[in-house]
Each structure stands twice: as C-alpha cells, then as structure tokens.
Amino acid sequence: MNRRHCASAAITLVCALSVLITPVQAFAKPAPPSPSDGKPSGDGAPKKSLEEVRKEIDALYRKAGAATDAYNLAKEKAEKQSGEIVKLAREIVVGQSKIAELKSQAGAQAREQYRTGGLPPGAQFMLSDDPQLFLDGVNRVREGQQAAQGVLGELTRTQQDLETYSKDASTNWKKLEANRVKQAEAKKKINTQIAAAKKLESRLKKEERARLLKLEQEAEYQQQTAWLSSGALKDINREASALGKKAVAFATKQIGKPYGWGDEGPDSYDCSGLTSQAWLAAGRPIPRTSQEQWRLLPHIAIKDMRPGDLIIYHGDASHVGMYIGDGAIVHAPRPGRNVTLAGAGSMQILGVVRPDK
C-alpha cells in the first residue's frame, strides 16, 4: 500500500509540474464566465459583477495575509520575551539565594566579633608578648579583613546584578505585553477580513462560486502566461542544493493540507509557516514570517533562481512560495484553499531570497 501511495503521489506531482512548464500548458484556460446580469440586488444597489466580487475577495484575503504576518511576528516576539523573562526569573532566584548565603556569612563574622569583645581572634593574638603569636595575629587579622571585604564586595555585586535582572525582567515584561496587544489587534484584523470575504462568498449561488473559482484560475493563468512570455524561464535551469532538495521534498509532501493562518503544521500551514518549516526540516532555520524572510535572507536575481529558493510576493511582502523548478511554486494560498502548486509568476513578484546562501 505504501508503494502504491508513493507511486500515485509521484505521478500526481509529475502531472501537476508538466502543466506549468510552458505558457500554453501552464494553466488550462477556463471557459469565460457569463457576465453579470447587472440587476439590482435585494437592497436596491446594482449587483456587482463576479469579477468585481473576485477582486474584492482577493483584496480582503490579501489584507488578512498581511495581518497574519503581523500576528506571526508579534507571536514570535512574545514567545522570545517569555523565554527571556523565565531565564531572568531563574537568575533572580539564584541571586536571592546567594545574597541570603552572603548575609549569613557576614552575620557569622559579626557575631564572632561580638563574642570576642569586638576583637577578632587574630587581633587578640596581636596583643600577646610572644613575637610568633604576634606575627600570626597580624596575618590572621589581614586574612580576616580580606575575607570580610570579599564577602561585602560579593554581596554588593550580587545585589547590583539582582537589580539589573529585575530591571531587565520589567523591560521584557512591558515588551511582552506590547506584543500581546499587537497580536490581539492583528488577530482581530484577520478575523474581520476573513469574515468579510466569507460573507461575500456566501451570498453567491453554487454556480456563481464555481464561476468565481474559474475567474481566479483565469487571472492566475493570464499572469503566469505573461511572466513566461517575458522569457523569465530562459536562463533559469539551476539545480537545487542538497539542503534545497530536502526543503522542496518537505514542502511538496504537504500538498493537499489546508491553509490555517498562524499554523506551522503538521496538519495545516499558512504561507510562511510552510516555507519556514520546510527549511527547518532541511536543517536550516529561517525567519518565521514572509516579511522577515524578505528582510533578513540574502536576495537573489530571478534569473539565478533554483529550487528551494523562496519567492516573495506583493509590495508588502505578505506572501511567500517555494520555487520547485519548471516555473512552479508550492505554497499555501489563503483561507479556504489547500497547499498546492501554482505558477511562479501567477502573482506579483517582489523578489527572491535564498535561505542557504
């Protein structure tokens, strides 16, 4: 059964890839949907055409994608801040324990001084008429003074360290709360945009939803065809690196799994969750969000692309897909869609980054 499943998956992947190799075959162009009748809707306003609805839904999901990136970044920072606070809390506990121990030592020295009439044993020896006892007393007094100074000095340093830890913990706590607020705001925006998009889709009849999907495919087809016709693939024939092959293998294995905003698998992914986990599986951790991937990873010219590289989309770097060769990417498109193959030029390309450069 495993061999049959693997063979079936391989055949499916090969067929899907072959669809994306040439401009003519990149996407089977859908039959053009019939135009809207232009009749007023129930509230008296002119009914929007399906193309207008498609653009509006696409815009809403784009905004949700940007908010998802903000959510993921705030979540990542909050987790980092939480880790720092835990680490500092442990340091504070150790510091408090050390201060208690040092105070105990200082107290023991003070009690000993009190019992000997204010004079440590060494000082008493210094009052002796015996020259050797006198010398021993001098050394013991010196050692006692050094020990006392050492305890007090260490106590001071530990108290200063403890104050620093406390200030750092307070700073990190404020940052944590700020990132939690950002996370909550981003989550609210995501839910608002997705709810609005779903509301628009829910108003469509079954046949209209089918036509809407064809419109989406047609828009992708047109963009992919224009990209390929520009000669973009002419010089793109490089092989993946060893790590790139592992990343591609992981990403393509997720095909068919649903999109889930903020998700990093194993059951669902958002766009950057898929790419970051794919490269983590390859042994190369990368930033979590598409915007951070664009900001921090090395940029590569499109003509130098190779499988495993990440293509960043839209002016705000709100989407990312992994290039797998032959003009195709694997990506997690948006809510309501599954991880799938698509034309690398089917969306507005911002640029390309290489995780293992």
Side-chain angles (χ1 to χ4, degrees):
M1 287 295 291
N2 287 336
R3 289 181 179 177
R4 289 181 183 177
H5 176 74
C6 291
S8 175
I11 291 169
T12 301
L13 181 56
V14 169
C15 291
L17 284 172
S18 66
V19 169
L20 298 163
I21 294 174
T22 65
V24 175
Q25 294 177 326
F27 290 97
K29 187 172 181 178
S34 56
S36 170
D37 55 16
K39 292 180 181 178
S41 59
D43 57 6
K47 186 177 180 180
K48 294 178 181 178
S49 69
L50 270 177
E51 176 60 15
E52 289 174 323
V53 172
R54 183 195 71 78
K55 288 181 178 179
E56 191 171 346
I57 289 174
D58 184 61
L60 287 167
Y61 279 124
R62 282 273 309 281
K63 290 177 182 177
T68 298
D69 237 26
Y71 172 88
N72 289 334
L73 184 59
K75 180 182 177 183
E76 186 178 38
K77 287 184 176 179
E79 288 172 352
K80 181 181 179 182
Q81 239 67 61
S82 294
E84 288 294 328
I85 290 171
V86 170
K87 182 180 177 181
L88 287 166
R90 288 173 180 162
E91 295 287 356
I92 288 171
V93 169
V94 171
Q96 289 173 334
S97 176
K98 191 173 182 181
I99 283 176
E101 182 183 344
L102 290 168
K103 284 183 176 179
S104 177
Q105 289 180 23
Q109 290 177 346
R111 288 192 295 274
E112 177 65 23
Q113 194 172 25
Y114 175 77
R115 281 196 298 270
T116 56
L119 293 174
Q124 294 178 15
F125 281 119
M126 287 176 66
L127 300 177
S128 172
D129 293 332
D130 188 327
Q132 186 59 47
L133 288 177
F134 176 81
L135 291 175
D136 289 343
V138 170
N139 289 332
R140 291 182 67 176
V141 167
R142 185 181 295 112
E143 289 171 359
Q145 289 174 337
Q146 290 174 345
Q149 289 174 353
V151 169
L152 292 175
E154 192 172 358
L155 181 60
T156 300
R157 286 192 299 273
T158 304
Q159 287 176 328
Q160 290 173 343
D161 288 343
L162 200 58
E163 288 177 9
T164 300
Y165 294 147
S166 297
K167 288 178 181 177
D168 288 347
S170 177
T171 299
N172 277 288
W173 183 262
K174 290 177 182 177
K175 290 180 179 178
L176 173 63
E177 289 304 304
N179 282 315
R180 281 177 175 168
V181 170
K182 289 179 182 178
Q183 199 175 334
E185 290 174 348
K187 185 175 182 179
K188 185 177 179 181
K189 287 181 181 178
I190 293 166
N191 288 331
T192 299
Q193 305 296 346
I194 291 176
K198 286 183 176 179
K199 187 176 181 180
L200 277 174
E201 288 183 287
S202 69
R203 291 174 179 173
L204 300 175
K205 297 177 182 178
K206 184 178 180 180
E207 58 271 21
E208 286 178 319
R209 285 197 293 272
R211 285 163 54 199
L212 182 66
L213 179 58
K214 287 183 179 180
L215 277 176
E216 289 180 8
Q217 293 171 343
E218 184 179 41
E220 291 177 358
Y221 167 83
Q222 289 173 347
Q223 290 186 74
Q224 174 74 351
T225 299
W227 184 69
L228 293 173
S229 298
S230 70
L233 279 183
K234 184 178 179 181
D235 299 319
I236 303 177
N237 56 3
R238 291 164 179 78
E239 289 189 4
S241 65
L243 291 182
K245 289 177 181 177
K246 291 180 181 180
V248 169
F250 179 93
T252 52
K253 192 176 179 181
Q254 313 312 312
I255 290 174
K257 292 184 178 180
Y259 177 100
W261 66 262
D263 291 351
E264 300 175 84
D267 300 321
S268 57
Y269 297 86
D270 63 19
C271 66
S272 56
L274 176 65
T275 54
S276 61
Q277 287 301 304
W279 272 100
L280 182 62
R284 181 63 61 91
I286 64 173
R288 168 65 177 87
T289 71
S290 59
Q291 292 175 344
E292 290 295 282
Q293 289 168 5
W294 174 245
R295 188 172 71 88
L296 298 173
L297 296 178
H299 290 202
I300 299 295
I302 291 178
K303 65 181 180 63
D304 295 326
M305 270 197 312
R306 69 188 186 195
D309 289 345
L310 306 182
I311 303 181
I312 309 296
Y313 293 97
H314 310 308
D316 58 358
S318 58
H319 191 69
V320 60
M322 179 180 291
Y323 185 64
I324 60 172
D326 295 324
I329 60 167
V330 58
H331 73 142
R334 65 168 177 81
R337 298 287 185 265
N338 296 331
V339 175
T340 187
L341 298 178
S346 60
M347 295 169 282
Q348 178 195 354
I349 295 177
L350 177 61
V352 181
V353 295
R354 178 167 294 166
D356 60 339
K357 183 177 179 181

